[in-house]
Amino acid sequence: MRTAMADIPLTSRAFETGLTLEEMAFGCERTVSYEAPIDCVNCEGTGRDDGGTCAFCDGAGTIVELRRSTITLPGPLDDGEVLELQAKGVPGTLAVTVRELPHAVFEHDGENLRTSLDVPAKILASGGLVNVETLDDDRELEVLPGSGEGSIVPLRGHGFPSKEDPERRGDLLVKLRASPETTLVEREARRWGAGLTAVGTAVALVGIGIMVAALVIRSNATVCESTETTVCMVVIDGERSEAADSAETQRSEQNGAAALGVAIGMAVMGVGGWITTRGIREMGRDRIEQRRA
Ligand SMILES: [Zn+2]
């Protein structure tokens, strides 16, 4: 595994280097740099050129060249382990002490790794699959129904490689934590849904009101009775008004108005109902946000 790390300048044969957990597990390479004396490229090691003393090497005949070499640190490694390594071009051995750097997600515990995972309370209670990050990739983890806060679910073979047999690996122990009851997204959805539901209910009530009003007006309206003057009067809430020429016309106009009123009322109620439904759905929407702390 290669990493984009700065060269390690070899100022001493023994040095320390920090490795990530992944590098500790699977090994890595590091580039070391060192200065090597070489024959002066100007005077070819003589220290002199046409004008006398070589100006390039100041007469020394040698110059210093910066060289790089790669060292391979084979995983799995233990924190504090000292590796005796050879670097091509560097005589002798290098004593490299490896130090494990803290990891943002995993805690190293022998051959096991530990992590914690926020799981929605709903899944903790009724079970389900959640995604969990491992040292290698993301894996699905089955949460059994009734898993309580703090339960530890092992993911076999996703721990740290064994020193004896790197093919064998410990477990990743995943501690489940109930995620805060609602996430920000959920809270916003809930607020928006609640608002929508309230508006929908209000609109539906207006619709019902229109229907009721239409029916009340219909029942209040006393159909004109034929009088001597044959003037039809509509009586609404005790107030009389001249309206139609005949009882039949009056009746049919009133029926028409009432039917229109009921139709408008039903339409408005329908819209209100639809908005309410949307609001309720928005509130109950499943938003499972996996977050790792
Ligand atoms: Zn020279």
Side-chain angles (χ1 to χ4, degrees):
M1 222 186 269
R2 276 194 86 76
T3 45
M5 296 268 300
D7 295 351
I8 301 169
L10 280 186
T11 50
S12 158
R13 300 212 154 263
F15 61 92
E16 257 188 30
T17 186
L19 269 64
T20 65
L21 182 63
E22 288 86 348
E23 290 174 331
M24 294 291 285
F26 308 122
C28 64
E29 289 182 343
R30 286 284 189 272
T31 306
V32 292
S33 60
Y34 58 97
E35 291 176 340
I38 56 164
D39 279 355
C40 173
V41 289
N42 185 47
C43 62
E44 293 172 334
T46 60
R48 302 191 63 78
D49 64 4
D50 301 343
T53 306
C54 171
F56 198 70
C57 63
D58 210 14
T62 57
I63 52 167
V64 160
E65 187 188 55
L66 187 72
R67 287 184 181 168
R68 290 190 172 80
S69 186
T70 302
I71 51 171
T72 302
L73 295 85
L77 294 161
D78 285 332
D79 185 36
E81 191 172 337
V82 181
L83 296 168
E84 302 272 314
L85 298 173
Q86 313 279 332
K88 199 179 163 202
V90 182
T93 40
L94 301 172
V96 184
T97 307
V98 293
R99 289 288 172 206
E100 184 177 319
L101 300 168
H103 199 278
V105 173
F106 305 111
E107 198 184 304
H108 192 167
D109 181 7
E111 287 185 8
N112 292 334
L113 296 174
R114 294 178 180 277
T115 190
S116 31
L117 184 70
D118 282 346
V119 177
K122 209 188 306 181
I123 289 188
L124 277 187
S126 24
L129 291 172
V130 291
N131 277 320
V132 65
E133 185 182 331
T134 74
L135 206 52
D136 320 78
D137 49 17
D138 275 19
R139 289 281 159 161
E140 266 188 348
L141 183 72
E142 190 183 1
V143 176
L144 297 175
S147 298
E149 160 96 35
S151 329
I152 292 171
V153 184
L155 204 57
R156 305 274 177 220
H158 285 276
F160 199 78
S162 155
K163 286 285 277 185
E164 288 79 44
D165 174 12
E167 294 299 304
R168 200 185 75 223
R169 288 173 63 176
D171 302 330
L172 174 63
L173 305 174
V174 184
K175 187 176 190 175
L176 306 180
R177 285 190 309 210
S179 60
E181 199 194 345
T182 50
T183 63
L184 184 67
V185 183
E186 267 178 320
R187 275 198 297 280
E188 268 166 15
R190 212 161 275 191
R191 198 175 304 143
W192 164 240
L196 212 56
T197 306
V199 168
T201 308
V203 171
L205 286 175
V206 168
I208 292 170
I210 293 172
M211 269 168 57
V212 168
L215 293 171
V216 166
I217 289 168
R218 171 71 187 79
S219 69
N220 272 354
T222 305
V223 176
C224 62
E225 289 157 18
S226 290
T227 61
E228 285 165 15
T229 55
T230 69
V231 169
C232 295
M233 304 297 283
V234 176
V235 182
I236 297 171
D237 294 332
E239 302 231 349
R240 288 169 162 269
S241 65
E242 198 173 75
D245 312 337
S246 69
E248 289 68 33
T249 315
Q250 178 62 30
R251 166 72 76 184
S252 88
E253 273 178 12
Q254 283 171 345
N255 280 346
L260 185 64
V262 169
I264 291 171
M266 282 179 71
V268 172
M269 198 179 74
V271 171
W274 179 76
I275 296 172
T276 307
T277 313
R278 287 227 26 202
I280 288 170
R281 205 163 47 208
E282 196 72 23
M283 279 197 290
R285 189 180 285 185
D286 254 334
R287 286 169 195 271
I288 294 164
E289 294 271 301
Q290 287 233 12
R291 288 162 314 112
R292 189 170 285 111

